[in-house]
Amino acid sequence: MSLWVDKYRPASLAKLDYHKEQANKLKNLVQCGDFPHLLIYGPSGAGKKTRIMCLLRELYGAGVEKLRIEHQSITAPSKKKIEINTIASNYHLEVNPSDAGNSDRVVIQELIKTVAQSQQIQSSTQREFKVVLLTEVDRLTKDAQHALRRTMEKYMFTCRLILCCNSTSKVIAPIRSRCLAVRVPLPSVEEVCSVLASVCKKEGLQLPAELARQIAEKSGRNLRKALLMCEACRVQQYPFAADQEIPETDWEAYLRETANAIVGQQSPQRLLEVRARLYELLTHCIPPEVIMKGLVTELLSNCDGHLKGEVVQMAAYYEHRLQLGNKAIYHLEAFVAKFMAIYKKFMEDGFDNFMF
Amino acid sequence: MSKLSLGGTASSGKLKSWVQPSFGGLIESSGQSNCSSKKGQRKTGEGKGKGQLLGSDSGSSKRSNKRRADCEASDFQSLCQEVSPTDQDEPWVDKHRPSSQAELAVHKKKIEEVENWITFHLDSKTMNKGGTILLLTGPSGCGKTATVQVLAKELNYQIQEWTNPSTLSEFRCDDSFRDAFDPHSRFNGFQGTSQTGAFQEFLLRANKYNRLQMTGDSKGTDRKVILVEDFPNQFYRNPGCLHDILRRFVKTGRCPLVFIVSDSLSGDRGSRLLFPREVQEELNISNISFNPVAPTSLMKVLSRIATSEAGKSGGRNLVPDKAALDLLCSGSSGDIRSAINSLQFSSLTDHSLEKSLWAAKKGKSAAAPKKAGPKPKAKSRSSKSADPLEESQAIGGKDASLFLFRALGRILYCKRESFEPSEAPELPEHLSEHKRDKLLVDPELVVERSHMSGEFFSLYLQQNYMDFFSDVDDVARASEYLSDADFLTAEWSSRSTMLEYGSSVATRGLIHANSARAKADCQTSVGFRPLHKPHWLLVNKKYRENCQAAQSLFISFCLPPVGLQTELVPYLAKLNNPMRNPAQIAFLQDVGHLPLRKFPGRLKLEALGDKDPGLLDEDTDGEDPARDHLHAKETTDPGPEAEPTPSCSQDAGADLPMSQPQPITSEALLDDEDLLIEEYESD
């Protein structure tokens, strides 16, 4: 039994549930059997990957769905061995170069070179190019992005690149200009609801419309999350109730508790406890950026309007440092401490005003 | 002539004619004589019984050492003082060796401790119960060996000391030629004796036989103590070897065995390696740890030597004044041997180079008390406490170094002293909250002497600073400085330069931010706070490993990491989806669930001992089997909240399911899963 997310993933461009106009355009794009390099971007859970796979299927047929996981090791010029996992079919290769950390440049150059240099044997029945799908391009180092730019031109004849990322702001302009950019926006709440309803129908379940709406709103229109939530609801309670509590992930609940702990008391001891909780979150694979974002959201809902501006500004400041610095905990802790200080001062002032 | 009775003098006079002086300059030769005289001192004190135990080998090496020391010493004196060659050639360290307990510069309690141990174990009643072992530790030059020797004299026992045979080839120099052609000689046991073997044999013999009665050995006591200061190199590589020998000794031995190990900062060498705590407990080894010699007693010894030498030399020796002695005292950082050596050197006269050095030093030392003018008492006391870190010395200064524990303490407790209002301009009104008293520590120097990179030091500070703060505002400022420090070193191309600035910002920021300790007079004592090792490295390592594991385990979902870690894995943990392999189940159990209890118990605090080297392996890629074994043991340990252990459990191992899964939701599959997890672990 696979997850609903995978089970009911549309397999062809025609079967997509939303953004149908865009799907049509994509279909027309590959009609002639060729396409330019693509840069597909949009928020997480919008369906980028689904669209890419549909596109590849349109191009190569069902063969692209036979995936195999390959473990490749690449030797850098400095004799350092880099291990990386790739997912490949006969026609395409998917790789996340940022897995290799600082050596992502080598991965890009070597992998694409090997793919591009191997010619297709039967070019009559197949396309004369292969597709390399690079995910998380926005997390590539500048070095790697520049290497990518060169590679794109060099191997245009034998290979096409599809780049996938959340935001183009971190992709350098030369790459953006070499690709056809396609933005995949999030589905609207209604679209999420309809997808949920159709999935439940296929599963043979009754999904109340209110619950679907709640799930859609709570998931932040992230369709993957919405489907996972829906499935979790199903595990939690069936038949569905309209006002059923939607299960949230442990880390979200944990983060909210952490935020409450911060608001509840402002003292060095409490900060120590918060630090331990932050460590706990980190060891559970929650990235520091996500922690910071979640923390700010929770804290904002807890604090007075006067403070909000300041808190957000602070969060932006430390989030920036988080990206630049080495050790996330310094910056997370500094943010929490700063918030505590501000909040305490605010509460004390408020108390004074109240008294006199 | 009474001078002839000094052993070394006669021989040096003779030797001078046929040994070429090997060092031309004064500085080199004096330095050399200092260090060789140290050797000489130990050698002379080590009892004459050893020669017969180790054969001609150690005897001759000893003699050659002695000879070298002597000739160098004579060389040294012939250069700087032509007039009377007899009076000064013996290093003062040897000449003024303590002869009674009263002369020892060691704290009385410590002497008493050692004395009690030795008298108790020398006692014939307890002697037959097997070997007993004493371990003396402490920084170099704090009087460990001297204490044992003085006690030997007073308690009337003999010392048999082990020295590493310098080479074994002397045994067979005669038949080396024959050896080359004789295939059997290689298998001839005696010649192949390793140092370890020789050591074992030494222990055995020292244990069994009394030493021969030599002529001139008037006191014939058969009470003796075996002393080991030199360790065969093999023991550093493989301490287990030593432990095996010791186990045997403890069973069969009849006399006390004393080990003397100097503390070292570099960590891997020293008592912690040779005598780990388990072994100390197992073999019932008593450990007495010496402190550096206190400045007052050091001062006492120095001035005693100085006056006696001045009286003897009749004006040829310049007696250093009080300030100079102070300087020597502080520069040696509690190492009495180096203090005496530099005293001897600095009190030599009629050499131009030396004079200029003196002048420089005098100028400096003269400047110090002048500054202290109005409040001499407080000043002198405070300057003494701060001196080892601040003053640098022209001659004989020792590189003071700090154990991490103390270095952290200096930053966190940040001692201050009040200063005269006239000394510094008053801060303007709006900045008055930043007013701080004068700091007694130099943070950069502390970091430098902690034998640790600034980055690591900041990590230690970050782990521990919170306990020393009472106000949230202060904490906010301190954490901001720590964040700044990390930010400064962000750019890798400039990191090597910025590291120092980063640590400076971190330490000074922390000190300044602590407004509760801003004034010298209101520095309320926070009491002793245990220090801990930083969690961050462990956490960060675990984070990376877990992320990698997540990606490799759930690669078939084709998700970007963030989506995988924040959406798929947590929700998978909520669904009762049958997974395909047990590793995935174990991973979900471990990472997908978060304990919603109040206090997370996974991270155990690891206390930092006062002599811990505190070096952490940032990322250990290769796991050695021993460590794997350790982990296997850890996993069998039931409690996630274990006591703080000194064992090296910094890294959490490469396998994820090792750490305790914490099921909080009762699931139907739970039993099966547990079973599967176990199977996986045994792989």
Side-chain angles (χ1 to χ4, degrees), chain A residues 1-4 6 9 44-45 49 67 69-70 85-87 94 96 98-99 135-136 139 222 224-225 228-229 231-233 235 246-255 257 261 266-273 275-290 317-318 320-321 324-331 333-335 337-338 340-342 344-345, chain B residues 455 457-467 469-473 475-477 479-480 482-487 489-491 495 534-540 542-543 545-548 550-552 555-568 570-578 587 590-603 618 662 664:
Chain A
M1 188 178 99
S2 59
L3 294 172
W4 294 356
D6 292 327
R9 189 188 294 276
S44 168
K49 201 68 173 296
L67 295 175
I69 295 162
E70 285 169 356
N85 287 318
T86 61
I87 300 166
E94 179 187 335
N96 183 354
S98 53
D99 284 353
T135 55
E136 289 203 297
R139 287 183 55 194
N222 178 339
R224 174 172 51 231
K225 203 171 172 187
L228 284 167
M229 274 179 171
E231 202 173 345
C233 283
V235 172
I246 299 160
E248 58 178 351
T249 52
D250 277 356
W251 69 266
E252 284 167 319
Y254 197 78
L255 199 59
E257 267 181 41
Q266 291 84 37
S267 68
Q269 283 70 37
R270 183 52 66 91
L271 187 55
L272 261 184
E273 285 166 30
R275 182 203 282 174
R277 296 180 75 98
L278 292 178
Y279 278 146
E280 191 76 359
L281 281 168
L282 280 173
T283 50
H284 283 81
C285 279
I286 311 300
E289 308 88 66
V290 177
Y317 178 76
Y318 284 110
H320 182 225
R321 294 195 149 195
L324 293 173
N326 294 316
K327 303 189 173 63
I329 189 65
Y330 286 144
H331 311 294
E333 190 171 289
F335 169 68
K338 203 86 192 218
M340 278 186 171
I342 293 176
K344 193 177 176 198
K345 189 160 183 300
Chain B
E455 224 174 338
F457 197 79
S458 307
L459 267 182
Y460 271 95
L461 287 178
Q462 189 261 347
Q463 177 68 37
N464 292 305
Y465 76 99
M466 216 85 91
D467 278 340
F469 285 72
S470 50
D471 188 18
V472 179
D473 291 326
V475 174
R477 286 208 303 130
S479 62
E480 198 181 330
L482 285 174
S483 163
D484 286 341
D486 185 46
F487 180 66
T489 58
E491 191 64 45
R495 182 170 298 156
H535 282 146
W536 167 251
L537 295 176
L538 175 67
V539 168
N540 192 33
K542 202 128 198 295
Y543 171 67
E545 282 170 356
N546 281 358
C547 289
Q548 269 172 15
Q551 274 163 50
S552 60
I555 192 169
S556 54
F557 289 95
C558 301
L559 281 177
V562 176
L564 180 73
Q565 290 154 22
T566 58
E567 291 164 20
L568 185 75
Y571 274 112
L572 273 183
K574 294 234 169 243
L575 303 175
N576 50 5
N577 232 341
F587 184 78
D590 187 30
V591 175
H593 289 301
L594 267 164
L596 295 176
R597 292 172 299 168
K598 201 72 187 163
F599 299 107
R602 179 182 301 234
L603 290 171
E618 189 163 19
Q662 295 161 340
I664 44 163

Side-chain angles (χ1 to χ4, degrees), chain A residues 99-256:
Chain A
D99 284 353
N102 278 330
S103 329
D104 49 1
R105 182 179 61 85
V106 186
V107 172
I108 285 199
Q109 284 175 329
E110 295 297 317
L111 263 187
I112 296 181
K113 201 159 77 185
T114 45
V115 171
Q117 280 175 348
S118 57
Q119 301 274 342
Q120 295 285 1
I121 301 167
Q122 291 174 295
S123 54
S124 55
T125 57
Q126 293 164 353
R127 314 281 163 193
E128 62 257 28
F129 55 83
K130 271 190 158 187
V131 173
V132 177
L133 169 55
L134 298 176
T135 55
E136 289 203 297
V137 184
D138 45 354
R139 287 183 55 194
L140 289 180
T141 56
K142 286 278 172 298
D143 239 17
Q145 295 199 22
H146 283 290
L148 186 60
R149 173 176 83 167
R150 204 53 208 102
T151 320
M152 277 171 132
E153 289 168 353
K154 212 169 162 187
Y155 300 111
M156 184 66 194
F157 186 67
T158 49
C159 108
R160 299 284 178 277
L161 292 178
I162 299 180
L163 312 180
C164 183
C165 61
N166 284 341
S167 146
T168 52
S169 63
K170 283 185 187 168
V171 180
I172 57 172
I175 290 185
R176 271 186 275 167
S177 85
R178 278 169 176 75
C179 301
L180 175 67
V182 180
R183 177 175 143 81
V184 183
L186 282 176
S188 66
V189 174
E190 286 73 30
E191 280 163 340
V192 176
C193 287
S194 74
V195 172
L196 288 178
S198 73
V199 166
C200 282
K201 203 171 153 197
K202 281 178 203 158
E203 277 283 312
L205 306 170
Q206 291 284 326
L207 180 70
E210 299 90 76
L211 184 62
R213 194 169 185 82
Q214 267 181 24
I215 292 177
E217 271 162 10
K218 194 153 185 198
S219 66
R221 286 152 65 205
N222 178 339
L223 189 62
R224 174 172 51 231
K225 203 171 172 187
L227 280 169
L228 284 167
M229 274 179 171
C230 188
E231 202 173 345
C233 283
R234 161 79 179 79
V235 172
Q236 191 186 46
Q237 180 187 354
Y238 188 80
F240 290 124
D243 54 349
Q244 179 175 354
E245 196 190 326
I246 299 160
E248 58 178 351
T249 52
D250 277 356
W251 69 266
E252 284 167 319
Y254 197 78
L255 199 59
R256 194 171 51 243

